[in-house]
Amino acid sequence: MTCFSRPRRFGKSFATKMLCAYYSKGFDSREMFEGLEISKADSLETYMNKLPIAFS
């Protein structure tokens, strides 16, 4: 389990939603990350949209 601790109003929700978009099986986010540095990573096919994520 990973914990992201930041002061109020410093993007915790934004960071969490971005991580959910990358890892979640919920939708194909390949287009969203296209052209970014992360799209060149070797681990892209290993982890992108492969995990069940619960976010509320």
Side-chain angles (χ1 to χ4, degrees):
M1 175 177 255
T2 303
C3 176
F4 292 96
S5 176
R6 295 175 124 181
R8 290 179 60 195
R9 300 188 187 131
F10 279 87
K12 290 184 296 289
S13 294
F14 178 78
T16 305
K17 288 175 186 175
M18 186 270 307
L19 289 170
C20 286
Y22 182 79
Y23 289 110
S24 178
K25 288 181 174 182
F27 60 95
D28 184 17
S29 58
R30 198 168 308 281
E31 186 177 312
M32 182 186 309
F33 291 97
E34 190 174 300
L36 299 177
E37 189 68 28
I38 197 166
S39 68
K40 300 172 190 164
D42 295 333
S43 63
L44 182 72
E45 294 299 321
T46 306
Y47 298 110
M48 182 177 258
N49 302 124
K50 304 284 187 193
L51 302 172
I53 303 293
F55 181 80
S56 59

